[in-house]
Amino acid sequence: MAMSPHAANLARAGLVAENSSLARETFVMIDSTRYPRLSRIDSPSDLRQFDEGELPAIAHELRDYLIESVASAGGHFGAGLGVIELTVALHYLYATPEDRLVWDVGHQCYPHKILTGRRDRIATIKHKDGLAPFPRRDESPFDTFGVGHSSTSISAALGMALAAQRKGDTRKIVAVIGDGGLTGGMAYEALHHGGDLDPDLLVILNDNQMSISENVGALPKMLARLMTSRTLNAVREGTKRRLRRDGFLWRFLKRWEEHAKGMFVPSTLFEEFGFHYFGPIDGHDLPMLLKSLRTLKDLKGPQLLHVITTKGKGYPPAEHAQIEYHAVGPFDPLKGVAKKTAGKQAYTDVFGDWLCDMAGADARLCAITPAMREGSGLVRFSKEFPQSYLDVGIAEQHAVTLAAGMACEGAKPVVAIYSTFLQRGYDQLIHDVAIQNLDVTFAIDRGGVVGPDGATHAGSFDLTYLRCIPNMIVAAPADENECRQLLTTGFLHTGPAAVRYPRGTGPGAKIEAELKPLPIGKAEVRRRGSNLAILAFGSPLAAALEIGNEFGATVVNMRFVKPLDTALILELARTHTALVSVEDNSIAGGAGSAVAELLTLKNIQTSLLQLGLPDRFLEHASREQLLTEAGIDAAGIREAIFKRWPQFAARKIEEIRSAV
């Protein structure tokens, strides 16, 4: 692909390497004839030069440009379409980046990136060396807080507001959080604290009735009741504006309001937290947004503005299929997203099928997910076993302790959760499950490098943070069939068990229908050799076998990180010159460290090379690119062995010469 002029300029300036993937990316230089206004906006200061009457046209261009850009490159889609007008209004009225704008999660940040100097690079998003998929502080001064996980915005914005207050700064602080993000407990901790401190802070509740899938729980029902209360809100606010604040009628109205709101307007919840509630208003009515934000901009104290939006707004397929269009690959905008063709089964689907089969065999099984029905493979289960399916919203801590409570009463809960999200429930995993040795199975998806979503979503640390917990069984399958077998093993075990598997597809192993457990703590020798023994934990087994065949090495599918197959490791240490451990997990404290600890404990002196993820956060790229970067693909393993033991390299050279 030819280097674009913009990329060439960056390369010449030394900002990117000339042969980097970013330099090779096609920068989409905006068509000024199709986007006459947007093409003139390189920063929010440019946006503020337009007459307010042109803002609806700018919003229209921004929506069309977002559709075009994501269609060409893929990425998060529906959430961004839903906040077009809100993004325009915020950057028009607030002096960003001096005024701080904090986005929750960041699925909706693409329009923000387009308006803040990254318009022509938006097609590089989620690609190696391209734009990050979420707000990121080192990418732009307009990204005031890095995110990727939910429910952090109010806490971060409150911290900024308090720090500004300490310095005497008068900058404005705005947090934008969705109703999905508001299902996370951290948001309420921030509301509870913020309302008591009385900071100058605006929280915008972007209510589209969705997380990735439909919202669950009592909060969406409360917000739905708020939508029916606009008339009462209008009467209340209109009357208050007409009365003197120190008069008898004002005091009467305030008392009446406290009683009446409790019956009719659930906004009482926010006002009891100490936030002055406004709304709900139409989040796609740009004049109304501007009017409301102008009113709130100069008010003192904590304010909450409730806006109603539609996820996927302006692109009918996304409006009608909001779950499917949450995140997409490249597609034809005239035809919509193409239906997926059948191929190798993803690990997520292997888990989903296993869950339904095991539920059919054991009525005690119940499945718990923190708002990740689609991502964790629970769609089929939710339909076939609705009474055993629990979506708790974005509440990972609650999900883990809920499972613990159910286990106390004889249920067999399976917590389906991404590796990166289980980090949020770590205390509950230790305090509520492991210490009590409760019978909870953790199906951990997206273990290891994940890819385009970047460091916030990588499952780089689970083997490390799980194997140090007493009472835990920790397993890492090497293929699809073994994933099914180890899930069965963990479920049938009485006590806490974790099975972690990667994103995407495996090597294509045939999946057996039988719900067959494997012996706990027993590894499998896949290839017998000499001199060198490679211990593969999970998905790196395929690469290890390739290298094992090259070197005539022993290759072991370890299966379990805890308990280790200590007998086999000790036998290999005695009969081989060197050991290599390979894992798709942080080297620090991971499976290789467990092997080293065993050898030290047994006072065995042998050469051990530990391969895994480096001690840094890996950037967004494809999973394959990240495995190569970390050196745990076949080429990386080969290079590491040659570097550590040059005699193996010399031996290979001699073999090649002999063959020639």
Side-chain angles (χ1 to χ4, degrees), residues 595-646:
V595 175
E597 291 162 14
L598 172 65
L599 296 176
T600 300
L601 179 67
K602 298 298 183 181
N603 199 27
I604 294 177
Q605 304 295 318
T606 192
S607 188
L608 171 64
L609 172 62
Q610 298 175 46
L611 301 179
L613 303 182
D615 187 23
R616 58 183 172 82
F617 293 109
L618 297 176
E619 304 298 342
H620 48 279
S622 70
R623 177 171 164 79
E624 292 71 27
Q625 287 171 322
L626 291 175
L627 291 173
T628 298
E629 182 181 333
I632 51 177
D633 60 351
I637 296 171
R638 182 188 301 109
E639 181 181 351
I641 291 172
F642 283 163
K643 184 176 181 180
R644 177 68 176 271
W645 298 292

Side-chain angles (χ1 to χ4, degrees), residues 153-177:
S153 60
I154 306 177
S155 294
L158 175 60
M160 293 176 185
L162 295 177
Q165 185 177 331
R166 285 169 61 90
K167 293 188 295 183
D169 289 343
T170 58
R171 65 169 57 100
K172 307 299 181 182
I173 313 290
V174 181
V176 182
I177 185 169

Side-chain angles (χ1 to χ4, degrees), residues 107 187 205 211 258 346 480 517 526-527 531:
H107 292 142
L205 171 56
S211 291
E258 294 305 317
E480 301 91 334
R526 284 286 187 98
R527 189 189 189 283
N531 292 319

Side-chain angles (χ1 to χ4, degrees), residues 430-594:
I430 296 173
H431 182 272
D432 299 334
V433 176
I435 288 178
Q436 302 184 93
N437 201 26
L438 292 174
D439 196 1
V440 179
T441 302
F442 294 89
I444 304 175
D445 204 338
R446 270 66 166 178
V449 298
V450 171
D453 282 342
T456 59
H457 283 59
S460 306
F461 312 108
D462 50 35
L463 298 185
T464 298
Y465 70 65
L466 287 169
R467 78 172 190 85
C468 64
I469 303 174
N471 293 332
M472 288 292 299
I473 286 177
V474 184
D479 60 41
E480 301 91 334
N481 188 54
E482 194 166 86
C483 183
R484 182 177 173 91
Q485 292 172 328
L486 288 174
L487 285 165
T488 302
T489 306
F491 182 79
L492 295 180
H493 168 71
T494 302
V499 181
R500 69 95 80 157
Y501 41 91
R503 179 182 184 176
T505 59
K510 182 181 179 181
I511 299 175
E512 302 169 11
E514 182 185 1
L515 293 168
K516 175 185 176 183
L518 297 173
I520 293 175
K522 292 298 180 183
E524 173 196 33
V525 177
R526 284 286 187 98
R527 189 189 189 283
R528 277 286 180 183
S530 60
N531 292 319
L532 186 68
I534 304 175
L535 313 178
F537 292 86
S539 60
L541 177 64
L545 284 169
E546 181 179 335
I547 298 303
N549 289 330
E550 276 187 37
F551 284 82
T554 296
V555 179
V556 181
N557 173 21
M558 290 301 298
R559 286 179 173 163
F560 291 89
V561 178
K562 187 175 186 177
L564 284 173
D565 190 336
T566 57
L568 178 59
I569 293 172
L570 295 175
E571 183 259 313
L572 294 173
R574 288 192 295 268
T575 58
H576 290 69
T577 305
L579 303 180
V580 179
S581 66
V582 189
E583 61 190 297
D584 183 6
N585 182 81
S586 171
I587 291 177
S593 292

